[in-house]
């Protein structure tokens, strides 16, 4: 069997990826599909950290959030990411994947706190580490948490799982002539004003020389192809 190109990666999952065709919440079929994709790479011996968003749960209370203080709303969103992390961990357990959830917020009755050294040890033991609660601070997105945790654990790449199979010259849904970039530099992506990640996360990845691959989590086998170094998604590099 061909060896994977990357040994340690950080996967960024949006909360919306768990919704499937539902309006909000967690779609069991979609959750199972994502876990199967993850298992396909952990079976190769790849060390995997996961940062997950909370938009699928938080949007369910979006109506009540109108006019809410930004910091309060962000803390609510962090709690939503912990809920998603717990659901993902349980689904992994049922699939035979050994996973641990670490939270940037201190809620030890539910999940253990984030400790960098322990997270790295878990990865070395072959466990998947799911990082919940973002960075633990308001005003920072889970994109920034992915860039931060990826840098801290020594990941070789941040994989951003989206609904689109890469970065395009234009919105492929609106422009049928839009073409996908196979590779693009950080500087060119900035110059073209391409929305890869939020600005803080993007700048951190660039400064740490941590490449990003944007790919579709809905495309069967895409995660494994990225890990194997095949032409899948779009690679953003220094």
């Amino acid at each position: 069997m061909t060896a994977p190109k990357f040994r340690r990666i950080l996967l960024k999952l949006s909360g919306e990826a768990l919704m499937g065709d539902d309006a909000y919440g967690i779609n069991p079929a979609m959750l199972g599909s994502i876990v199967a994709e993850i298992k396909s790479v952990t079976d190769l011996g790849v060390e995997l950290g996961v940062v997950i968003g909370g938009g699928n749960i938080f949007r369910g209370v979006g109506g009540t959030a109108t006019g809410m203080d930004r910091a309060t709303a962000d803390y609510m969103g962090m709690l939503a990411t912990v809920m998603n992390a717990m659901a993902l961990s349980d689904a992994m357990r049922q699939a035979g994947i050994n996973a641990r959830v670490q939270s940037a917020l201190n809620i030890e009755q539910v999940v253990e706190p984030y400790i960098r050294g322990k997270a790295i040890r878990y990865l070395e033991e072959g466990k998947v580490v799911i990082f919940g609660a973002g960075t633990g601070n308001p005003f920072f997105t889970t994109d920034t948490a992915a860039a931060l945790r990826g840098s801290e654990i020594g990941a070789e790449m941040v994989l951003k799982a989206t609904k689109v199979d890469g970065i395009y010259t234009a919105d492929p849904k609106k422009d049928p002539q839009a073409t996908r970039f196979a590779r693009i530099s950080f500087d060119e992506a900035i110059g073209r004003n391409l929305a890869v990640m939020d600005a803080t996360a993007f700048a951190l990845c660039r400064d740490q020389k941590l490449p990003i691959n944007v790919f579709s989590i809905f495309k069967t086998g895409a995660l494994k192809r990225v890990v194997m170094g095949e032409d899948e998604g779009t690679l953003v590099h220094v």
Side-chain angles (χ1 to χ4, degrees), residues 92-171:
M92 287 183 180
R93 177 187 59 79
Q94 295 181 46
I97 302 172
N98 201 341
R100 294 289 186 275
V101 178
Q102 292 196 339
S103 169
L105 294 178
N106 192 5
I107 43 177
E108 292 187 57
Q109 293 91 336
V110 181
V111 293
E112 65 181 81
Y114 169 67
I115 300 174
R116 175 176 175 266
K118 185 178 285 188
I120 292 173
R121 187 172 77 248
Y122 284 153
L123 292 169
E124 292 172 344
E125 292 172 350
K127 299 179 177 70
V128 174
V129 184
I130 308 169
F131 301 104
T135 66
N137 301 286
F139 309 107
F140 291 95
T141 68
T142 49
D143 274 353
T144 299
L148 179 62
R149 297 291 180 249
S151 299
E152 288 179 313
I153 66 172
E156 297 171 76
M157 178 179 287
V158 170
L159 276 58
K160 181 167 183 179
T162 69
K163 294 181 178 180
V164 183
D165 64 340
I167 303 171
Y168 282 74
T169 52
D171 187 342

Side-chain angles (χ1 to χ4, degrees), residues 15 31 38 48 78 86 88 100 109 129 143 146 157 181-182:
L31 179 61
I38 289 173
L48 177 67
M78 290 179 218
M86 293 171 66
L88 183 60
R100 294 289 186 275
Q109 293 91 336
V129 184
D143 274 353
M157 178 179 287
F181 292 102

